[in-house]
Amino acid sequence: MGLPFVEWIDDPKQLFVCAKCGTCLTGIKHLVSESFRGGTGTAYLFNHVINVNMTESIRRVMTTGTHWVRDIDCRYCNSRVGWFYEMALKEDQQYKEGHFILELALTKRIPGMVDIVAQKRMKSDAASSSGESGSSNNPSVSSLSFEEEKEDVTV
Amino acid sequence: MKRSTAASHDPASNGNSVTNFSLSRLFQLSATERQGVTTRRSLRLQQAYERLVAGGESPSVTVPINSPEPHASSDGNESLASSATPNISPPPVKVRRMQVGGNPAALNNRSVGDRLKEKQKDLQSHVTTTEGSSSTAAAAPSTSTTTVALNSSVTTRDKPLSDRQRNTVRVISQYLREIGMTNTVETLTDESGCREEDPLATQFREALEKSDWGTIVEIVDQLKDQIKESSYMTLRVTFLEELLKTHFSSGDLIAALAVLQKEYPRHPDFLDRRKHYGSMLAADADYLKSNFADSIVMTQKSDLLDLAEDLFPPTFLLPKGRLGNIIDQAFKTQVQTCRLHINKGFPAHGSNGILRDHKCNTLHFPNRTSQIISDHEAEVWVLKFSPNGQYLASTGKSGLIYIFKVLNDRKLAYYNRYMLSDELDGINCLSWSGDSNFIACGSAGNSHFGIFLIDIHRIVDVEFPVQDHIIRLGVEKFTVADFFPSPRQHRIVCADQKGNFTVHDVDHDLSDKGNDFEGLRVNGLYCLKDGRTVLASDTLFRIRSYNFENMTDLTLIEEAHPIVSFTLDSPEERCLITTKSGGIRMWCLETRTLIQTFFGSVHADIVVNACFGGANEEYIASGSEGNNRVMIWKRDEKYPVKYLDGHNGSINAIAWNPHFKNMLVSGSDDHTIRVWSSVPPGSTFVEPVPEILSRVDEDPRDSPVDCEPYLRHASVKY
């Protein structure tokens, strides 16, 4: 139904993208917990995920208890990536409510990118504070992200 | 303004009451004439009546007609003398109001008997008058307004003309005089009591014509009380200097000296000028003559007139052609408020806003589908007209690019098509080169296939998708691209959402040697006409400008919502941004402020492009999620002025033809492209049938491979 519009998360370190189509889902700054397991293996808990469609609320029994969850699909390719906690029936599980689970097997990690305006700000901060240490940092930051990208991108 | 008396008619009515009664009925004025508006008909009636009266009456009666009028214009003209009294035909017993008993000057010329009769009628009329308004016939009270005579104190007028009315009458009489109806002007002036111009002003104009500076200075002096001190001084000095110049040019130094000594103001501001002219006196006479005889030194009469118009009191001099100017201004305002005004300039027909407010009907606005093209068997995502307005490129989910030729403002014809690659998810970005010969397209989504450059005039075999003549830039890079609008070069800017952002010169080198900016996820691009600057929208809700020559960049606009797409108008002053949940917003690029938000369309999930269009790029068209309508806004109004219905799926792309201002093209999810145009006047409208243009019989570019037998559409005659 038309070309779906996809957004991106601004995270300089790492991004999680859909394994099938590469749509950006979230960044590592939204990571809450790493100790979850899903049907395909390890899963991470995030508090903010974009570009996903949610199904209706389903009552599911999990190892930690009964929860109401919604399954999450990538908006671009409609492939499953995880689920969303709507409500937890046990009190000590309620910290998960409103958070998203992304299964690692269904997603990929790519390095993030420092935004151009943020780069400039870093440069000017560095220049104002100290001469050499600042200037040596910046080329490494930008060149790192560029090189890593080239390795990581697969067709 | 003295009035001529109507006493002449009273004896007539008394004498032959029967005949005059019927006659007067015959000459009864229409309602407007009774209201005091003089028309040609009433003039003729007056003259006929006069002749009738004069022919059958005693000489004593005719004397008042010929009495010398204080009003200069009616000298020696019998019909004109009576033309000052438009309300002339009373019924026999009732007496006309207007001029009776009001004119002391006329009184002197009439016999005693007449005066007595007049007084009698006065008393009668005062009894019979209604509401104090003057009436021609009691049966039909006239509503002609009374006027306060400019120079006379005796009047039976009850309602003097207000200033506004008076000025309007002056403007009207100026207009009438300019089109040559001097008789009417006389009548109008007489009746309303307002001269078009003060007699002083007329004298001023005449003196200016004759360069009679002395008179002008006197006139200026007369107006001394009515204008500001500084204006008075300025005027006086200006005209005095003109006077001096004439004296100098004629060599009359003694007169010049006299002027300088006596007339020239001794104000310290003017000291320098005075000294300057004083020093002139000492100069050689011949030198002076030659210098000042040269007309270049003399100030232009038109400049002097402009100066006078500025500084004199506003009611003194009437600017030329005032009524015409006012009507033109009114028409311009009507055009501005006309919501569907799509034609530049004034329409040749119609009353030009005089009788009715101008309002375009939808005849000149795209309002009907004139063609449905269903060549794409997939959702249509992008539509772009070439810069010269002759071709339309369209593409969508299937990865096929169709190029159509614009035949007229209603129809397209198939021109060419390309297939890029089977693996594409679709093409979502298309850009024309400045010379309308090449197209750059980028694939959708996250599959970075690079940018394909296509020559639109080369015919290809669709079986083999990617061939030599298609240039490919940046494998595994680049999703969006834009050509610089220059027709001479082929420089293209490519970017994607992984941080690549470079400019390539396709004519010279295809390798990746261009400069690039890092740290950007670019969603949309727009190259400016100056050939150096590129605007790019990125995922952080910003639009920034980048200059690849000196590697500078600047944040122009920071939005509060994700930017789906953006575009600029032709003069590159305004930027139209489609945001995800903030509506369509228009920003001013120079001041970087938000000008207008357009309501009515929904943008949440899919990419919909809006565009400028129409005459002066005053309209904005866009599709919307959720409904299948094309929405058109006027640039300064928040709500749409027009909806175009007809599509069966939501509309993804819109393009407005830069050449034919009434042609709009829209592409939607129902696999069709619709051409919207204005219905020609007088024709019956027929809903067009969807046609597949690429399979028209006589088109030589038919693809030799037909996958399935499609219905052959009847050949389209244009």
Side-chain angles (χ1 to χ4, degrees):
Chain A
M1 215 248 347
L3 178 64
F5 174 63
V6 294
E7 303 177 64
W8 281 77
I9 296 268
D10 178 28
D11 188 326
K13 298 213 187 79
Q14 247 188 23
L15 293 173
F16 288 81
V17 300
C18 168
K20 212 165 143 210
C21 66
T23 318
C24 175
L25 295 172
T26 185
I28 205 154
K29 61 181 179 180
H30 296 297
L31 182 64
V32 172
S33 159
E34 294 182 1
S35 45
F36 281 81
R37 289 197 68 78
T40 54
T42 325
Y44 283 3
L45 185 72
F46 295 92
N47 61 15
H48 181 57
V49 166
I50 59 170
N51 293 329
V52 287
N53 292 328
M54 292 197 265
T55 61
E56 77 223 348
S57 211
I58 307 166
R59 187 166 174 275
R60 213 173 267 169
V61 180
M62 299 176 181
T63 47
T64 46
T66 319
H67 300 79
W68 287 87
V69 296
R70 296 177 190 267
D71 282 325
I72 293 180
D73 295 335
C74 164
R75 198 157 76 165
Y76 196 80
C77 59
N78 295 320
S79 56
R80 184 169 177 273
V81 289
W83 65 89
F84 167 77
Y85 285 102
E86 177 85 27
M87 190 168 97
L89 293 177
K90 271 205 220 166
E91 255 195 60
D92 53 346
Q93 302 294 315
Q94 276 171 6
Y95 73 96
K96 300 176 195 168
E97 286 179 1
H99 288 43
F100 298 79
I101 291 276
L102 292 183
E103 301 193 32
L104 281 191
L106 305 177
T107 60
K108 264 193 320 198
R109 289 199 221 200
I110 59 171
M113 184 158 55
V114 181
D115 175 53
I116 188 171
V117 173
Q119 272 180 23
K120 281 195 188 161
R121 221 175 294 133
M122 287 196 312
K123 273 188 206 157
S124 61
D125 285 349
S128 59
S129 59
S130 64
E132 290 192 353
S133 52
S135 53
S136 62
N137 267 342
N138 295 319
S140 60
V141 168
S142 46
S143 59
L144 246 184
S145 60
F146 208 53
E147 284 165 20
E148 277 187 30
E149 260 183 82
K150 278 188 179 156
E151 290 170 13
D152 233 6
V153 171
T154 53
V155 179
Chain B
M1 268 287 307
K2 310 261 171 79
R3 309 241 150 215
S4 62
T5 69
S8 53
H9 305 290
D10 301 330
S13 57
N14 274 338
N16 316 332
S17 51
V18 175
T19 45
N20 283 345
F21 180 79
S22 48
L23 280 170
S24 65
R25 275 299 186 82
L26 194 64
F27 290 115
Q28 226 161 41
L29 298 171
S30 65
T32 47
E33 287 159 353
R34 259 181 261 119
Q35 282 170 18
V37 174
T38 309
T39 60
R40 281 209 189 282
R41 178 171 170 270
S42 69
L43 260 181
R44 274 187 266 121
L45 285 178
Q46 296 162 23
Q47 294 168 15
Y49 200 89
E50 287 302 317
R51 266 180 258 121
L52 172 73
V53 164
E57 298 307 324
S58 59
S60 63
V61 176
T62 62
V63 162
I65 300 178
N66 290 332
S67 66
E69 289 293 337
H71 181 33
S73 63
S74 53
D75 273 341
N77 193 341
E78 181 175 0
S79 59
L80 276 185
S82 60
S83 72
T85 68
N87 309 308
I88 283 194
S89 56
V93 282
K94 306 301 192 303
V95 171
R96 193 175 353 95
R97 284 300 78 234
M98 291 202 55
Q99 300 78 9
V100 173
N103 225 327
L107 280 174
N108 303 329
N109 300 323
R110 277 175 291 130
S111 59
V112 177
D114 290 336
R115 264 188 267 150
L116 282 176
K117 284 180 196 156
E118 211 183 24
K119 270 199 196 144
Q120 204 182 9
K121 296 301 169 296
D122 248 351
L123 291 171
Q124 277 187 2
S125 63
H126 275 301
V127 168
T128 58
T129 193
T130 59
E131 307 166 358
S133 65
S134 55
S135 52
T136 50
S142 109
T143 56
S144 69
T145 55
T146 62
T147 63
V148 176
L150 273 182
N151 301 325
S152 138
S153 53
V154 183
T155 176
T156 54
R157 305 295 155 267
D158 294 335
K159 276 190 259 171
L161 280 182
S162 69
D163 273 344
R164 179 182 166 135
Q165 288 171 321
R166 204 196 292 232
N167 285 332
T168 317
V169 167
R170 287 177 65 194
V171 169
I172 291 175
S173 65
Q174 183 199 44
Y175 182 74
L176 290 173
R177 185 172 52 76
E178 280 174 0
I179 63 177
M181 305 176 68
T182 42
N183 286 350
T184 319
V185 173
E186 303 296 353
T187 316
L188 184 60
T189 323
D190 282 343
E191 176 167 14
S192 61
C194 316
R195 300 196 64 128
E196 178 191 331
E197 261 185 347
D198 207 320
L200 265 188
T202 331
Q203 283 180 30
F204 176 80
R205 280 195 205 271
E206 286 168 14
L208 193 61
E209 282 300 307
K210 294 185 270 183
S211 303
D212 186 0
W213 307 113
T215 323
I216 291 187
V217 174
E218 286 171 17
I219 295 177
V220 169
D221 284 339
Q222 283 188 25
L223 288 175
K224 187 175 174 180
D225 316 320
Q226 303 180 25
I227 51 182
K228 283 191 304 200
E229 178 69 25
S230 56
S231 323
Y232 167 66
M233 297 292 264
T234 317
L235 280 172
R236 195 145 199 277
V237 168
T238 318
F239 292 120
L240 276 176
E241 288 182 359
E242 293 300 314
L243 186 62
L244 276 177
K245 285 180 194 168
T246 37
H247 283 317
F248 283 143
S249 64
S250 60
D252 192 357
L253 291 179
I254 307 221
L257 179 63
V259 167
L260 267 182
Q261 275 187 336
K262 294 185 201 157
E263 308 271 347
Y264 210 89
R266 292 169 191 274
H267 204 264
D269 286 350
F270 299 114
L271 200 55
D272 293 338
R273 304 178 77 99
R274 194 153 175 266
K275 278 190 188 164
H276 168 76
Y277 282 105
S279 64
M280 287 277 171
L281 282 175
D284 189 32
D286 288 333
Y287 163 76
L288 282 177
K289 266 196 200 167
S290 56
N291 200 15
F292 283 101
D294 191 358
S295 58
I296 297 176
V297 179
M298 310 289 279
T299 324
Q300 291 291 335
K301 293 251 173 70
S302 51
D303 292 343
L304 287 175
L305 196 57
D306 288 341
L307 178 71
E309 274 177 10
D310 280 342
L311 295 181
F312 276 144
T315 55
F316 185 66
L317 279 181
L318 209 57
K320 245 188 181 184
R322 184 72 188 141
L323 189 62
N325 277 346
I326 293 179
I327 291 183
D328 282 342
Q329 287 174 14
F331 186 69
K332 280 193 191 126
T333 315
Q334 290 167 13
V335 163
Q336 279 177 7
T337 56
C338 169
R339 293 174 103 210
L340 295 177
H341 192 87
I342 199 139
N343 276 336
K344 278 193 228 184
F346 303 139
H349 64 279
S351 51
N352 275 14
I354 298 181
L355 295 178
R356 284 226 173 84
D357 277 357
H358 165 83
K359 198 169 178 213
C360 279
N361 47 19
T362 55
L363 277 188
H364 301 289
F365 202 81
N367 59 347
R368 289 279 166 74
T369 311
S370 54
Q371 196 179 15
I372 304 180
I373 301 169
S374 48
D375 285 61
H376 284 276
E377 279 113 34
E379 298 172 2
V380 178
W381 283 349
V382 190
L383 285 174
K384 285 266 171 77
F385 276 103
S386 65
N388 59 9
Q390 287 175 11
Y391 299 101
L392 174 73
S394 64
T395 179
K397 195 169 179 186
S398 60
L400 273 172
I401 302 170
Y402 277 88
I403 301 180
F404 300 100
K405 191 166 166 58
V406 177
L407 292 177
N408 54 26
D409 66 340
R410 291 196 301 285
K411 286 219 179 287
L412 303 176
Y414 170 78
Y415 190 76
N416 208 345
R417 79 171 164 193
Y418 289 91
M419 170 78 166
L420 283 192
S421 164
D422 287 334
E423 303 144 23
L424 288 182
D425 286 343
I427 302 171
N428 76 332
C429 163
L430 203 94
S431 167
W432 283 90
S433 68
D435 53 2
S436 304
N437 282 328
F438 294 94
I439 294 181
C441 27
S443 65
N446 294 308
S447 51
H448 291 49
F449 274 95
I451 303 290
F452 296 90
L453 295 183
I454 297 173
D455 179 349
I456 65 164
H457 302 291
R458 303 263 301 252
I459 303 168
V460 296
D461 198 349
V462 179
E463 282 187 15
F464 304 102
V466 177
Q467 286 194 332
D468 297 330
H469 59 274
I470 294 183
I471 305 166
R472 194 166 169 185
L473 284 176
V475 184
E476 295 167 21
K477 280 208 272 193
F478 300 141
T479 49
V480 290
D482 199 31
F483 270 100
F484 275 102
S486 152
R488 289 182 305 277
Q489 308 172 326
H490 294 119
R491 289 171 70 225
I492 183 168
V493 177
C494 314
D496 65 4
Q497 290 184 333
K498 290 191 180 165
N500 304 304
F501 186 24
T502 62
V503 62
H504 298 275
D505 192 335
V506 181
D507 293 331
H508 298 121
D509 201 332
L510 290 183
S511 63
D512 238 350
K513 270 194 280 180
N515 292 329
D516 58 353
F517 285 91
E518 295 168 357
L520 278 183
R521 300 196 196 269
V522 174
N523 255 335
L525 284 176
Y526 194 97
C527 294
L528 296 184
K529 282 187 210 164
D530 62 358
R532 292 191 297 272
T533 325
V534 181
L535 296 186
S537 70
D538 55 32
T539 54
L540 295 176
F541 314 174
R542 302 177 305 212
I543 292 185
R544 308 185 81 240
S545 80
Y546 301 90
N547 187 327
F548 281 92
E549 281 172 18
N550 48 14
M551 296 304 286
T552 56
D553 55 288
L554 186 63
T555 303
L556 291 184
I557 295 173
E558 296 202 26
E559 262 282 357
H561 306 278
I563 297 177
V564 174
S565 66
F566 79 106
T567 180
L568 265 64
D569 60 353
S570 302
E572 295 176 359
E573 288 165 8
R574 293 183 174 81
C575 174
L576 189 71
I577 300 179
T578 312
T579 62
K580 179 170 156 103
S581 37
I584 302 178
R585 292 142 80 89
M586 184 167 73
W587 293 70
C588 168
L589 274 183
E590 203 186 320
T591 60
R592 300 184 215 156
T593 50
L594 180 68
I595 303 178
Q596 184 74 269
T597 308
F598 299 103
F599 296 100
S601 66
V602 177
H603 301 275
D605 289 328
I606 60 175
V607 177
V608 175
N609 298 311
C611 76
F612 283 99
N616 294 334
E617 307 232 325
E618 278 200 5
Y619 292 91
I620 287 157
S622 172
S624 158
E625 274 179 51
N627 54 24
N628 306 334
R629 325 173 89 170
V630 177
M631 298 189 178
I632 298 179
W633 289 263
K634 196 154 188 255
R635 199 170 64 186
D636 45 10
E637 288 187 26
K638 306 189 281 203
Y639 293 100
V641 297
K642 194 128 179 74
Y643 295 100
L644 298 177
D645 291 317
H647 271 293
N648 295 322
S650 61
I651 290 158
N652 294 321
I654 295 227
W656 211 307
N657 195 321
H659 187 58
F660 293 111
K661 306 282 185 197
N662 59 345
M663 181 181 184
L664 181 68
V665 182
S666 63
S668 97
D669 279 348
D670 63 356
H671 308 330
T672 62
I673 299 172
R674 277 193 185 224
V675 178
W676 304 85
S677 181
S678 55
V679 177
S683 71
T684 54
F685 175 70
V686 175
E687 177 78 17
V689 177
E691 44 193 347
I692 300 179
L693 289 182
S694 54
R695 299 197 200 276
V696 170
D697 271 337
E698 52 256 24
D699 194 314
R701 293 188 228 259
D702 257 6
S703 162
V705 178
D706 275 356
C707 304
E708 282 174 22
Y710 279 91
L711 289 168
R712 294 271 166 178
H713 185 71
S715 46
V716 182
K717 299 278 184 239
Y718 310 113

